[in-house]
Structures are given as C-alpha cells and as structure tokens.
Amino acid sequence: MSGPHTPEVALSRQGDSSMGTRDEDAADGIQHSHRMLSFSDALLSIIATVMILPVTHTEISPEQFDKSIQKLLATRIAVYLMTFLIVTVAWAAHTRLFQVVGKIDDTLALLNLACMMTITFLPFTFSLMVTFPEVPLGIFLFCMCVIAIGAVQALIVVYAFHFPHLLNPQMERSAHRGLYRRHILGLVLRGPALCFVAAGFSLFFYPLSYLLMATVIFLPYVSKAFSWCKGRLVGPQEPPAHSVEFFTFDLHEPLSKERVEAFSDGVYAIVATLLILDICEDNVPDSKDVKEKFHGSLVAALSVYGPHFLAYFGSFATVGLLWFAHHSLFLHIRKATPSMGLLNTLSLAFVGGLPLAYQQTSAFARRPHDELESVRVSCAIIFFASIFQFAIWTTALLHEGETLRPSARFGGREHAFMFAKLALYPCASLLAFASTCFLSRFSTAIFHLTQIAVPFTFLLLRLLVRLALAVLRALRGLGRPARRGEEDARAPLLPSAC
C-alpha cells in the first residue's frame, strides 16, 4: 500500500533538503552565483560591443574620403577587433573561474563588482587609443586596466580557496587544493603579466605593445600548440598523479554552453540597440528646420531621411537573422569546445562591426560616389560574421558524437537544413561583393531591399530543402522496384530446391 508513494516521499524529502540547504546558505550569507553571472555576462557583452562607437563616429567629409582616411579607418577597425577579443578573453577567464567557484558571499560579490568596474573603463581607454594612436597614454591605460582586472580575479581565487565551502563541491573535497590554486593563479596572471610588459614598451616603442597584447588573445592556443609539438618531439608523457582537472584551457574541454549563449545574445541585443540609437540621434528633424524648410510638414522632413530608415531596416534584418542562425546552431550543439568558443568570438567581433556597416551605407545620400566602397565594407563584415558561424558548425561536425545532437549529425533530419541555413549569408554576401567588382555602380536601395528580402529566403529554405530531399528519396525509390522486378523475372529460371 505504501510502496507506490515511496518515490513521492523521497522526492519530497529531497526537495525539503534542497530548500533547507538554500535557507541555511542564505542564513550564512552564502548565495548561488547565477544572478551575478548573468549580470556579469550582460555587462561584458555591452562593454565589448560599445567599443565600436569610436570607430563608427569617425567624422569623414566627402572630400576627405581618400586612401589615407581609409587606412585610418582600417587601423581603427583592427584595434577594435583586438580589444574586443581581449575583452572576450577576460570573459572566458571569468567563465572558467566561476566554474571553480560555485557559491558567493558579499565579499566575493563586491570583488566581482570591482572587476566589472575596471572592465567598464576599457571603452574610454580604447577611445584614447583610436583618437590619439601615436600617444602612448591610451595603450598604457588600457594595459593597466587589464592588469587591474587580473589582480582582482587573483584576489577572488585567493579568497575562494581560503573559504573552501565557496568552491565547486568536487574541488572542495579535493586533497590538492593548494596545487589547483597555484595553477589557477598562474593562468589568471599570465595575461596581465604580458600586458605589464606591453605597458612598459608603450612608453618608448608602442608598436611592440600591440603585438604583446595580441599575444594575450591567442596565448592558450599557442600554449596548446607548443605542448603538441613537445609531445611529437619528446614523446607522450605520463600525466602527473594529481593532474589539474579544473580551469584549464584545453581545446577539448567544454565551455559553459549557457554562458556562451548569454554572452552572444547580449552582443546581438546591444548591436540592434546601437542601430536604433543612431536613428534617434541623427535622423530626428530639427523643429526650426521643419518650419522653415518644409513649411511645417513633418512628413516631408522625414522623407529626406528615407535612405537612412531603409538602411536601418536592412541592417536590423541582418542582425536579427544572424542571431536566428546562431540560435538554431546552438540549439543543436550539446557542448562548446574552446576552439568553437574562439570561432564564436570572432563571429561576434564582426557582428559588433555591423553598426559601422550601417553608418557607411546610411551615408550614401551624402556621398553617392562612394556607394560601391561602402557596399563592399558591409559585405565584408557580413561575410566574416557569417562564415565564422559556418566554421563553428564545421568544427562541431569533426567531433559530432560529442558536440552535436543526433538530429544534426551526418544523415540526421536537420543536417541538410542547418547546412543550407548557415551557408546562406556567406554565399549571399560573397555574391554581392563579387557584383560590386563587375558593376560600375551598385544601387543602395537594391542592397538594402536585398537585406530585407533575406528573411523570406529563410522561410522558403526549409521548404526547398525538404522538397529536394523528397525528390532524392523518390529517385532512390524508383531504382529499388526495378531491381526487384529483375530478380522476379530470373527466379523461374533457377532450379527449385528439393
């Protein structure tokens, strides 16, 4: 009689125990870190994205748009990409760190806020770097911010290991916490150490500082390549008896898929917001001009900004559909390896450059003779943002048994559709770029109307892929009955078994 109720009783007891643990943690001032991590991911994605603003707001008059200005703009874009990647390195370190630290108290929350406050100062130092590229103060302050971020993260490590109940349960029970602490501190501080050297070189030879800062981005991958080469030359070595199991940058170790998605969603949301902010800032008519130039007609005044609104809708459609492709991709991904995380970061860096593409294309009315060049810039940004998404998919297919769900693997029902969906934007942007090489002029209206029409292509894509698969199945089915007919015709000629 009591048997069927046993699971419910056990579940109730487990729920009561979990609730009691939470109440005890709250009474002791210990909290779960989920909300703090969500806040940190949102803030880091905003900081990484708004650093495009000094590039997009570069004032270029029509008579100044020559090779020197193009070189200046390209330099600013390169510096933006480098700083975006450095911010994502700080985010990755934060993600790894809070895979070790499972719970927080007030002190840890305040230390994390200090880390976030230092990160929020990075856009100001970046603005100094792009505005005064030959003055070392900007890069010096940027390096000092990175050093301060590493110092605060090191304090978080020291504090969490001093109170083991804040650590991951497996780490808390480990008898080798001292080894883990030294290893984690070494990983946290090696990036700031390089920035310390870069800050020193910025005082007398700043180009080398940029090289050292770029090394910070790819340091984990350089270290992995060095270990691989060492293994090839020396031979495989036995791992230590107490190897470090946490907070490594092994290219096969999964990242937190939820935090990768949260950070990516933040970047896409901020990019879409920056587009409408530009509309509100630059395309609201002045009341005095409406009265004097347009005789009080607001509709006539707004019609002047028609190309800008068309550029906005086209750019927003591109941002939204790139997010849609990203969402569909990670819906089929089971876990994200660091190599996939790096490709995702590169894709997000170019997504962050879409406000620049909007600024370039919305200025067609002011610079009609530069339409072709602006379309090429926009196509290049869209191509790289989408091709790195396709590279994530390709990398996941190399280890599909671990990284992908069964429906998205080779032969799965969603495999062909995902391939077509992720290949659409790279092919479309590459085709548009190629068209600018053959045409003497590329209409801005056609470019933006094409961007707006792409959503309908996504709607038709699944239907076309299903239709193509149905045709292939039908062709295969036609071949099978013919073979069966031949076997039946030959059957009477064979001797019957006695």
Side-chain angles (χ1 to χ4, degrees):
M1 294 293 292
S2 60
H5 298 283
T6 303
E8 297 181 2
V9 173
L11 183 61
S12 176
R13 289 177 180 174
Q14 184 178 0
D16 294 341
S17 175
S18 176
M19 186 64 67
T21 303
R22 293 180 182 177
D23 292 339
E24 291 175 1
D25 288 343
D28 294 337
I30 300 173
Q31 312 160 18
H32 288 276
S33 59
H34 303 301
R35 186 173 180 181
M36 187 194 74
L37 296 181
S38 299
F39 171 77
S40 302
D41 289 338
L43 190 144
L44 284 163
S45 62
I46 292 171
I47 295 303
T49 310
V50 298
M51 285 192 294
I52 194 63
L53 292 179
V55 182
T56 59
H57 290 171
T58 302
E59 294 294 335
I60 302 175
S61 59
E63 60 273 8
Q64 288 179 327
F65 199 81
D66 54 11
K67 294 297 182 181
S68 61
I69 297 298
Q70 292 180 15
K71 182 178 179 181
L72 173 63
L73 192 61
T75 302
R76 292 191 172 191
I77 293 173
V79 175
Y80 155 73
L81 291 174
M82 183 188 68
T83 51
F84 184 97
L85 294 174
I86 288 177
V87 173
T88 57
V89 167
W91 168 80
H94 191 272
T95 302
R96 296 293 192 193
L97 182 56
F98 281 91
Q99 286 178 350
V100 175
V101 180
K103 298 179 181 179
I104 62 170
D105 57 8
D106 292 345
T107 303
L108 269 182
L110 291 175
L111 286 173
N112 185 71
L113 284 177
C115 182
M116 295 299 108
M117 181 186 68
T118 310
I119 290 175
T120 56
F121 197 70
L122 287 176
F124 173 74
T125 61
F126 173 71
S127 299
L128 291 179
M129 290 168 61
V130 298
T131 307
F132 306 98
E134 297 181 357
V135 179
L137 181 61
I139 189 170
F140 179 81
L141 291 177
F142 188 90
C143 291
M144 295 308 295
C145 285
V146 176
I147 293 170
I149 293 168
V152 176
Q153 288 183 342
L155 285 177
I156 292 175
V157 173
V158 172
Y159 181 84
F161 275 86
H162 186 69
F163 298 98
H165 61 277
L166 299 174
L167 298 174
N168 181 294
Q170 189 174 353
M171 181 74 76
E172 180 184 359
R173 293 190 297 267
S174 175
H176 307 283
R177 288 198 302 268
L179 174 65
Y180 294 147
R181 182 183 60 185
R182 290 192 297 272
H183 176 74
I184 294 172
L185 284 175
L187 291 176
V188 166
L189 293 176
R190 63 183 182 181
L194 282 175
C195 285
F196 180 80
V197 178
F201 278 106
S202 68
L203 300 177
F204 56 90
F205 189 64
Y206 66 90
L208 185 57
S209 300
Y210 287 101
L211 180 61
L212 291 172
M213 291 170 62
T215 306
V216 174
I217 302 169
F218 300 102
L219 185 61
Y221 303 92
V222 173
S223 177
K224 182 67 177 179
F226 177 78
S227 299
W228 181 83
C229 294
K230 183 179 178 181
R232 288 281 182 173
L233 294 175
V234 181
Q237 297 180 351
E238 290 292 332
H242 306 292
S243 60
V244 178
E245 301 172 356
F246 299 95
F247 203 84
T248 64
F249 287 97
D250 187 4
L251 296 181
H252 298 289
E253 182 183 350
L255 292 167
S256 173
K257 179 173 175 285
E258 291 76 15
R259 293 198 65 181
V260 172
E261 292 175 344
F263 181 78
S264 303
D265 290 342
V267 170
Y268 282 102
I270 297 304
V271 169
T273 307
L274 292 179
L275 295 177
I276 194 60
L277 287 179
D278 288 333
I279 284 285
C280 296
E281 180 182 357
D282 301 329
N283 300 291
V284 176
D286 185 76
S287 58
K288 185 178 180 180
D289 291 338
V290 172
K291 292 179 181 179
E292 295 179 356
K293 297 181 180 180
F294 302 98
H295 308 288
S297 175
L298 184 59
V299 175
L302 288 175
S303 64
V304 177
Y305 299 99
H308 300 266
F309 291 108
L310 185 62
Y312 163 73
F313 287 114
S315 300
F316 188 90
T318 301
V319 174
L321 291 175
L322 285 173
W323 172 86
F324 173 68
H326 188 276
H327 171 266
S328 301
L329 174 61
F330 275 82
L331 192 65
H332 297 293
I333 289 177
R334 297 172 59 185
K335 68 177 183 179
T337 62
S339 55
M340 295 165 62
L342 176 62
L343 294 171
N344 183 66
T345 298
L346 294 172
S347 175
L348 293 178
F350 284 98
V351 169
L354 287 173
L356 174 63
Y358 163 75
Q359 287 285 346
Q360 291 289 305
T361 54
S362 64
F364 285 159
R366 300 195 302 268
R367 303 196 313 267
H369 59 284
D370 292 322
E371 288 183 347
L372 213 60
E373 192 69 28
S374 299
V375 169
R376 288 173 181 171
V377 171
S378 301
C379 290
I381 292 175
I382 296 171
F383 173 77
F384 284 110
S386 56
I387 198 65
F388 281 118
Q389 283 187 350
F390 191 84
I392 297 172
W393 168 252
T394 306
T395 305
L397 287 174
L398 295 177
H399 306 281
E400 60 177 9
E402 301 176 359
T403 58
L404 289 176
R405 300 185 186 279
S407 61
R409 300 171 188 171
F410 283 107
R413 65 179 184 275
E414 294 292 330
H415 176 78
F417 179 61
M418 280 303 304
F419 180 88
K421 185 186 293 186
L422 293 173
L424 178 61
Y425 259 117
C427 294
S429 57
L430 194 61
L431 180 63
F433 187 90
S435 300
T436 62
C437 299
F438 297 105
L439 300 176
S440 59
R441 182 172 177 176
F442 197 94
S443 173
T444 60
I446 293 177
F447 176 72
H448 292 303
L449 287 174
T450 303
Q451 286 183 302
I452 297 173
V454 171
F456 300 99
T457 307
F458 272 92
L459 292 176
L460 294 174
L461 195 58
R462 182 178 288 272
L463 178 62
L464 294 174
V465 170
R466 287 185 174 180
L467 183 62
L469 292 176
V471 170
L472 290 175
R473 293 192 191 98
L475 292 175
R476 291 178 181 177
L478 290 175
R480 292 175 181 173
R483 294 177 181 176
R484 292 177 181 175
E486 292 177 1
E487 293 176 358
D488 294 339
R490 294 175 182 176
L493 300 178
L494 296 177
S496 58
C498 297

